[in-house]
Amino acid sequence: MDNAKFTKQQIEELKKLCGESGIKLTHQRLEIFKELMAVSNHPSAELIYKRLRRKLPTVALDTVYRTLATFDELGLVKKLHLMNERTLFDTNLKVHHHFICNHCRKVEDIYWQRFDSCKLPEGIGEVGMIESRHLEFHGVCRNCLNIGRKDKQ
Ligand SMILES: [Zn+2]
Ligand SMILES: [Zn+2]
């Protein structure tokens, strides 16, 4: 386990948060959390479920989904609703944006501090109160460019 040390601290954090929020840290929840931290960023509930079933064959997809939603409420992950994508969960809690590959659907993090701190357009208050801003970039990722695929899979 390469990331055992890495997750130990995060598990402590999880325990603390659950305790503060009155949420019981069940074995299933803990395993879901570990899986979440072990996968690459932006996993779907289905991916976590598939990986988890090797260890916990009785786990239900619905349980995984609800647990991830709880983690979202606790601020441990961020639920992502990217255009044309099913719900993904982001373990990167820093302010960032997303690039989505049109070919392989890979989601990459994009940082753009100048955008994050730039002044909002004049009169934007007309539409309502802005609470956050998030950019979605669509294109072809470096890997797909290298492979030279031109058509959608
Ligand atoms: Zn790609
Ligand atoms: Zn992200």
Side-chain angles (χ1 to χ4, degrees):
M1 289 267 261
D2 324 312
N3 51 3
K5 217 170 78 191
F6 173 66
T7 53
K8 209 168 191 178
Q9 202 184 358
Q10 286 169 319
I11 288 166
E12 286 309 311
E13 185 71 13
L14 174 69
K15 279 183 189 156
K16 212 181 107 206
L17 269 170
C18 283
E20 283 168 5
S21 316
I23 292 164
K24 217 178 134 202
L25 185 56
T26 59
H27 178 61
Q28 275 194 345
R29 281 181 178 147
L30 183 63
E31 288 303 323
I32 291 168
F33 182 77
K34 280 186 191 166
E35 214 53 71
L36 187 65
M37 291 300 146
V39 295
S40 59
N41 53 2
H42 317 107
S44 62
E46 288 81 4
L47 180 76
I48 299 288
Y49 168 70
K50 260 192 227 158
R51 291 175 55 111
L52 204 61
R53 285 205 39 181
R54 289 181 226 147
K55 264 195 274 178
L56 299 174
T58 56
V59 75
L61 175 60
D62 189 53
T63 306
V64 175
Y65 203 88
R66 274 186 289 117
T67 302
L68 291 173
T70 303
F71 289 166
D72 174 57
E73 280 163 34
L74 288 174
L76 290 162
V77 284
K78 237 175 115 181
K79 231 181 191 177
L80 284 182
H81 302 282
L82 302 176
M83 211 188 281
N84 301 326
E85 296 291 328
R86 49 194 174 167
T87 307
L88 301 175
F89 293 87
D90 202 339
T91 51
N92 181 358
L93 301 174
K94 292 186 205 117
V95 176
H96 67 283
H97 308 280
H98 291 102
F99 169 85
I100 302 134
C101 177
N102 291 331
H103 289 270
C104 69
R105 315 309 302 166
K106 185 165 78 178
V107 179
E108 298 258 26
D109 291 341
I110 305 275
Y111 295 91
W112 193 0
Q113 277 164 355
R114 271 185 78 178
F115 171 83
D116 301 333
S117 56
C118 76
K119 244 182 95 191
L120 293 166
E122 202 100 5
I124 200 162
E126 298 293 319
V127 295
M129 192 177 69
I130 307 300
E131 294 181 325
S132 65
R133 36 178 127 178
H134 172 247
L135 285 175
E136 246 180 57
F137 299 84
H138 296 262
V140 184
C141 76
R142 180 55 52 196
N143 194 35
C144 288
L145 279 175
N146 289 345
I147 295 167
R149 279 192 287 183
K150 288 187 180 76
D151 301 305
K152 273 191 177 170
Q153 277 182 315

